[in-house]
Amino acid sequence: MGSPEIIWLDIQPSLYGFNCRLVRLLTASRRVKRWSFQHDPDEACTIDTIHNLLRESIVSSKQRPHVVAHGISGTIACLFAQQYPEILSSLTLLSVDTNNANHWTSHYHVMRGQLPCSRDKILANLASKLFDVDDQRIIATLAKLMAKCLDCDFVISSLFSNSLSGHLQAPKVPTLIINGNHDFVVDKAAKTRWNSKLKLGDHYDSVDTGRHFFHFHKPALTAKKINAFLDMIPTSSFPDVAPTNSLTAR
């Protein structure tokens, strides 16, 4: 049996362009599929809804994929792996804290409530911290993409979405955590928080000078770290009987 495919979990498709460099490098040696969720802001949506749809896709594929995800997608992926470890081969999280509610969008809402600034100025300030760029024209473009994400994608402040609280635990599957050492959102102390939760076979890694979207600026290094981790994971077959404790997907 060949190596399981990678599912790139994408809960915020407005920002998928920042993942493409890394995805292209991973496809050089592995099959990579993007699993995207388009959130309708006017439609009721919960994390369980996303989990049910994702589980349905994995069960129908008859494979145990490696799941890779960034940011809030990573938080949701970790919660999924905790609930359904038997249908996954591994989990790789990029820029993810153990604190479920710690995402760039939550920092934006705190800043918006505390600072007497326009939305555009706050997003421009955030973009300069999340990305390793200095050009003001690029920062303005990044801020527009972030605004689109806030308006169109699944975020923890969405009107009908579940609020996230509590802390993540490492699931039963092999787990890799990669964070940036200069991340404004997931700070250096995340290493200590994760190390207290990881089990034997899991690994925490970091990218020097990396910010929240470090995989966009350093895709080759990130791909190398992910591939080295996945190469150590043995291949296992899909369970004959899928777990029955899930809700019906819409």
Side-chain angles (χ1 to χ4, degrees):
M1 180 180 294
S3 177
E5 67 186 15
I6 292 175
I7 287 184
W8 187 285
L9 186 61
D10 180 23
I11 306 301
Q12 295 182 332
S14 296
L15 306 182
Y16 180 71
F18 302 130
N19 306 325
C20 289
R21 291 177 176 177
L22 174 56
V23 170
R24 282 196 294 268
L25 291 174
L26 292 174
T27 57
S29 57
R30 304 178 189 275
R31 299 187 307 277
V32 182
K33 291 183 179 179
R34 175 191 179 196
W35 194 94
S36 181
F37 178 79
Q38 185 66 54
H39 173 51
D40 184 345
D42 295 324
E43 181 181 4
C45 176
T46 67
I47 294 172
D48 283 341
T49 300
I50 300 174
H51 281 178
N52 292 330
L53 293 172
L54 176 59
R55 179 188 173 278
E56 184 179 78
S57 297
I58 293 175
V59 169
S60 64
S61 73
K62 296 296 183 181
Q63 294 194 36
R64 294 176 53 140
H66 302 293
V67 172
V68 182
H70 173 270
I72 190 173
S73 299
T75 299
I76 292 174
C78 189
L79 294 171
F80 179 85
Q82 289 172 340
Q83 189 172 4
Y84 302 112
E86 60 281 328
I87 61 174
L88 301 181
S89 289
S90 75
L91 177 68
T92 296
L93 306 178
L94 311 178
S95 298
V96 176
D97 198 353
T98 57
N99 182 351
N100 286 353
N102 188 22
H103 305 100
W104 74 262
T105 53
S106 58
H107 284 260
Y108 161 77
H109 288 292
V110 170
M111 295 171 68
R112 188 73 192 274
Q114 295 178 346
L115 300 176
C117 302
S118 68
R119 183 194 207 205
D120 291 344
K121 288 185 177 180
I122 291 176
L123 286 174
N125 179 265
L126 263 179
S128 69
K129 297 178 182 297
L130 300 177
F131 296 89
D132 189 11
V133 294
D134 296 320
D135 190 311
Q136 292 302 311
R137 293 172 298 179
I138 297 177
I139 289 175
T141 299
L142 294 174
K144 290 180 180 178
L145 287 174
M146 292 163 63
K148 182 179 179 181
C149 176
L150 289 168
D151 292 338
C152 301
D153 296 342
F154 185 93
V155 297
I156 59 174
S157 59
S158 297
L159 181 60
F160 296 110
S161 69
N162 285 351
S163 60
L164 290 171
S165 61
H167 294 80
L168 295 175
Q169 299 290 331
K172 294 180 179 179
V173 299
T175 301
L176 171 65
I177 313 293
I178 309 178
N179 289 328
N181 275 339
H182 289 182
D183 191 347
F184 167 74
V185 178
V186 185
D187 59 29
K188 290 183 179 180
K191 179 178 181 179
T192 301
R193 294 191 290 271
W194 272 114
N195 281 341
S196 66
K197 299 176 181 297
L198 299 181
K199 60 192 180 298
L200 185 65
D202 295 343
H203 184 59
Y204 183 97
D205 206 340
S206 59
V207 174
D208 291 339
T209 73
R211 301 191 186 186
H212 195 63
F213 289 89
F214 65 84
H215 61 298
F216 173 71
H217 298 284
K218 298 187 177 182
L221 176 60
T222 307
K224 182 179 180 180
K225 292 178 181 293
I226 294 175
N227 280 322
F229 174 73
L230 297 185
D231 285 342
M232 296 187 297
I233 299 174
T235 300
S236 56
S237 61
F238 195 83
D240 292 333
V241 180
T244 59
N245 60 336
S246 69
L247 301 176
T248 302
R250 65 179 183 179

